[in-house]
Amino acid sequence: MPTGRYAPSPTGTFHLGNLRTAVAAALFARLDDGRCLLRWEDLDVTATAEHEADQRRDFAELGLAFDGLDLHQRDRGDAYRDALEDLRQAGLTYPCWCSRKDIRDAPTAPHGPPGSYPGTCRDLSRAEIAQRESSGRPPAIRLRADSADVTIHDRLHGAHRQQVDDFVLRRFDGTPAYNLVVVVDDAYQGVDQVVRGDDLLPSTPRHAHLHHVLGTPEPEWVHVSLVLDSGRERLAKRDGSAGLAEWREHGGTVGSLLAAIGRSLGIETDAVADLRELSASFDPHAVSTRPVVYNPRGPVLAFAD
Ligand code: GLU
């Protein structure tokens, strides 16, 4: 019985891609009578209670109910500090004063993915550290990952291999970074199945590596495709369009949206659907990794060609 989760960031109104991922998380988790938990990833400065309430309304409209109590990351500061301290004591962290520009301008590590940290601050001498500390600029904290070569196995994408860079665990402003908190919280909530958008697939070897060094079990990974707009750009939460309200403005209903999401997840269903119906005919082998395109005229969701 899997324990899955959906982990929204309450930073805007859900778009159809968010809703599709939430439905996918519920369908995968409930396949074997598992649970699907809810976690609010609300450490971002743009996260608000209003956005959270707005997102809860969408869940209610879709009939999406989660199990147990939901978790808010803003309540979890002690847990993140403890995890950082464990890593520090194991000699697995170091302070880093690099700006984005420093990182952009530095030659990248030979086998790292694009944008990976080149290791500039990894082996500073005491004198170099003292000099940077005296600048008064607070450092970020990075994981000493030793360029670990990690292969993860995704249920839809198969094996995905990547070298893990020294990624940020705590940002220079003191905020724990997503790549730390997602691992600490999945372990804390007993999550053993992570369903999320495939934009996060390149970050997953980092998460698997961190589970490994923290001694927590690596969950099963399931990365579902994103929903794109007609210009083939990913939908964004920021402007509030491309959500349930717009679907309705174009004559859609909750039932037709669930049916459209269901079809985009390989379920053969016509216009009227509810979650129970989708759950009953969900076949994980029929889920495609192809991106989905949203066309408000219709309104329809269709696979990208
Ligand atoms: N909070 C992220 C989002 O809203 C998801 C992170 C995750 O599922 O690990 O896209």
Side-chain angles (χ1 to χ4, degrees), residues 62 254-260 262 269-278:
L62 262 56
V254 167
S256 72
L257 176 59
L258 283 172
T269 175
D270 51 20
V272 181
D274 65 21
L275 260 186
R276 198 187 306 261
E277 235 175 277
L278 292 186

Side-chain angles (χ1 to χ4, degrees), residues 241-273:
S241 66
L244 183 54
E246 189 180 275
W247 183 268
R248 283 192 165 122
E249 275 160 32
H250 289 85
T253 60
V254 167
S256 72
L257 176 59
L258 283 172
I261 289 175
R263 282 191 298 274
S264 80
L265 292 168
I267 302 169
E268 283 181 33
T269 175
D270 51 20
V272 181

Side-chain angles (χ1 to χ4, degrees), residues 38-94:
L38 181 61
R39 178 170 77 239
W40 295 99
E41 300 211 321
D42 56 357
L43 295 182
D44 192 287
V45 284
T46 60
T48 65
E50 288 72 34
H51 291 316
E52 184 183 312
D54 183 59
Q55 296 186 355
R56 279 185 199 279
R57 271 193 296 277
D58 277 9
F59 289 147
E61 297 239 35
L62 262 56
L64 258 173
F66 294 92
D67 299 293
L69 294 175
D70 18 324
L71 193 71
H72 285 90
Q73 291 191 325
R74 61 166 188 261
D75 298 332
R76 299 266 302 144
D78 289 349
Y80 308 141
R81 261 191 300 279
D82 289 353
L84 261 176
E85 184 53 22
D86 288 350
L87 293 169
R88 192 189 67 78
Q89 285 187 12
L92 291 175
T93 65
Y94 62 87

Side-chain angles (χ1 to χ4, degrees), residues 150-170:
V150 173
T151 302
I152 62 109
H153 298 274
D154 181 276
R155 185 154 173 173
L156 304 177
H157 293 260
H160 177 84
R161 178 178 173 188
Q162 207 160 287
Q163 210 170 66
V164 175
D165 68 335
D166 288 358
F167 59 89
V168 169
L169 299 169
R170 196 184 75 192

Side-chain angles (χ1 to χ4, degrees), residues 280-298:
S281 36
F282 179 56
D283 172 6
H285 299 105
V287 180
S288 163
T289 54
R290 280 161 72 196
V292 171
V293 176
Y294 165 53
N295 183 350
R297 283 186 310 272

